[in-house]
Amino acid sequence: KFVTVEIPPEVNKEVVETALKCYEKGLLVDDTVLGTHVDMEKCGNLKVYGSYLRKRLLHQTGAIVLNGLDMKALAGGDENNLEQLTECSRIAYYLISSHIGYVDAGARGRLFDVKSANIDAMDKKKDNVLFSVSDTECSWHTDGASKDRVYDVVGLMCISPAAIGGEFQVANACNAFNRLGLALPKFMMYELTRPIPRDVLENGKGKGVQDLVSALSRSPKVLPMRIRYNSYPIFVAKGDRLRCRYMRHWIETGHEKTNWKVPTMLRVAMDLFDDALDKECCFDRALSRGQIIMSNNSLTVHARKAFQNNDPTLPPRHLLRAWLQIQKADL
């Protein structure tokens, strides 16, 4: 079940006032330090609200849409003021995310700009290109392709929607796994629970190979070894705990770059898993300006439909992404 909640007025007030104060001081989101630039005692309502959202994501619905962030106030009264709107939205989104959990800035910074750089992520001639900088369709996946880095929650905030398309989708991976477990033989389920090599993506902007270090680390002799190391299952089930890590595209490109064929049984298992996820889709619409979506990155998967920025009177599609660690937030 998918839940949409309104941001309470008292929380909205705290977030907007704090973001505007930071902006007036000339601070950007990467400069803002909680406890130094932000008076945490004045964010009491936000702290309680963040705890409520964290429990929703960990123990209840697993996915939430937040409505009602006062974007007009963040823009100084004029939503056409995109410069202030964008910078204040970054700070506001970081404040909300930081009160839900720890914002993981290790791979791509605190917040990542999800907007088209006119690069086709499906172009096989392109390497190390994220779907986040492309306008092409992105199939069912969880975030994070590295064996050694796992994110608890993925969040997106919409600053400007696309003129056409860009619908965001969320599906329940647990239900899909259970559905397949009831229907498939064990040898087929094994394909979803054994280690599988994945393509390797470099930290940074994800717009290709843009520096010498990346070029060397992605050379024909080095990259296949890195991909073989970067092997892990789609599903790990231990007792009553389940974790899904899926991105079919990176599985297929990983096999291709190691000169391996995707095994027939794995291909069939992924076909069936994709079909099951289609049936478990619980959210399928484009976010509007100011909306925030948070989803548990272990229990749900998400996708994005292709989009077009073809209206010159509208700003191009622009979302902000945050990766959160939340499991230890209450310790």
Side-chain angles (χ1 to χ4, degrees):
K1 183 180 178 181
F2 210 92
V3 173
T4 299
V5 297
E6 295 293 324
I7 298 175
E10 62 274 16
V11 174
N12 223 326
K13 185 173 183 291
E14 288 179 355
V15 171
V16 171
E17 288 182 353
T18 303
L20 287 173
K21 286 180 180 178
C22 291
Y23 179 75
E24 289 166 1
K25 293 177 183 178
L27 295 170
L28 301 178
V29 67
D30 288 332
D31 304 323
T32 303
V33 179
L34 303 184
T36 300
H37 303 118
V38 176
D39 187 347
M40 302 302 287
E41 293 184 358
K42 294 183 178 179
C43 295
N45 293 308
L46 178 56
K47 181 178 180 181
V48 173
Y49 188 59
S51 178
Y52 160 76
L53 295 177
R54 183 164 61 250
K55 291 176 182 177
R56 281 279 192 178
L57 291 166
L58 270 177
H59 306 300
Q60 298 177 21
T61 58
I64 301 173
V65 172
L66 306 182
N67 284 334
L69 185 61
D70 193 343
M71 300 296 279
K72 184 175 181 180
L74 288 173
D78 179 9
E79 289 193 45
N80 291 320
N81 183 359
L82 280 180
E83 188 275 332
Q84 178 173 336
L85 175 67
T86 301
E87 295 306 326
C88 287
S89 295
R90 292 180 196 275
I91 299 171
Y93 182 40
Y94 175 66
L95 285 171
I96 294 172
S97 298
S98 295
H99 282 80
I100 298 174
Y102 167 72
V103 177
D104 193 324
R108 308 194 190 282
R110 287 180 173 178
L111 303 179
F112 187 85
D113 290 299
V114 180
K115 55 184 180 180
S116 176
N118 297 316
I119 305 174
D120 185 358
M122 295 295 291
D123 186 350
K124 292 187 177 181
K125 295 181 180 179
K126 303 289 185 181
D127 184 33
N128 191 44
V129 173
L130 299 174
F131 282 88
S132 303
V133 299
S134 172
D135 57 11
T136 55
E137 179 181 355
C138 183
S139 60
W140 294 117
H141 66 283
T142 54
D143 276 19
S146 172
K147 174 182 178 179
D148 300 318
R149 186 183 291 271
V150 181
Y151 306 108
D152 293 335
V153 169
V154 56
L156 286 168
M157 175 182 178
C158 179
I159 294 179
S160 298
I164 299 175
E167 292 85 358
F168 190 76
Q169 299 171 294
V170 178
N172 189 319
C174 298
N175 286 355
F177 182 75
N178 289 334
R179 181 191 293 270
L180 294 179
L182 294 172
L184 298 183
K186 289 185 178 180
F187 71 84
M188 188 68 75
M189 291 299 293
Y190 173 74
E191 294 298 318
L192 299 176
T193 56
R194 68 173 178 84
I196 302 169
R198 323 285 182 106
D199 204 344
V200 174
L201 299 169
E202 312 301 335
N203 293 343
K205 296 181 178 180
K207 296 182 180 180
V209 180
Q210 299 180 317
D211 58 79
L212 180 60
V213 174
S214 295
L216 291 174
S217 63
R218 301 189 73 82
S219 67
K221 291 186 177 180
V222 176
L223 184 58
M225 292 188 290
R226 297 176 68 201
I227 289 173
R228 289 165 193 151
Y229 168 79
N230 195 43
S231 297
Y232 50 90
I234 295 174
F235 278 100
V236 175
K238 293 184 178 180
D240 60 351
R241 300 180 68 86
L242 186 70
R243 178 185 291 278
C244 176
R245 302 192 68 194
Y246 184 57
M247 177 48 146
R248 181 167 187 158
H249 180 73
W250 302 135
I251 292 174
E252 291 175 342
T253 59
H255 279 77
E256 181 179 344
K257 291 173 183 178
T258 55
N259 294 316
W260 291 350
K261 290 185 178 181
V262 178
T264 301
M265 287 294 101
L266 174 58
R267 191 177 297 280
V268 172
M270 291 192 295
D271 285 342
L272 295 170
F273 183 40
D274 287 337
D275 289 342
L277 289 172
D278 289 341
K279 295 175 182 176
E280 294 296 337
C281 182
C282 56
F283 183 86
D284 184 1
R285 64 177 183 266
L287 298 178
S288 59
R289 173 170 286 178
Q291 280 192 314
I292 298 171
I293 188 167
M294 297 275 184
S295 61
N296 188 310
N297 197 45
S298 297
L299 307 180
T300 67
V301 297
H302 54 277
R304 185 204 68 210
K305 295 179 182 178
F307 64 90
Q308 298 177 34
N309 294 317
N310 59 355
D311 188 338
T313 66
L314 298 174
R317 182 181 188 268
H318 185 189
L319 279 70
L320 300 174
R321 184 183 64 211
W323 286 327
L324 308 184
Q325 308 293 0
I326 66 172
Q327 296 197 49
K328 297 181 180 179
D330 292 315
L331 297 180

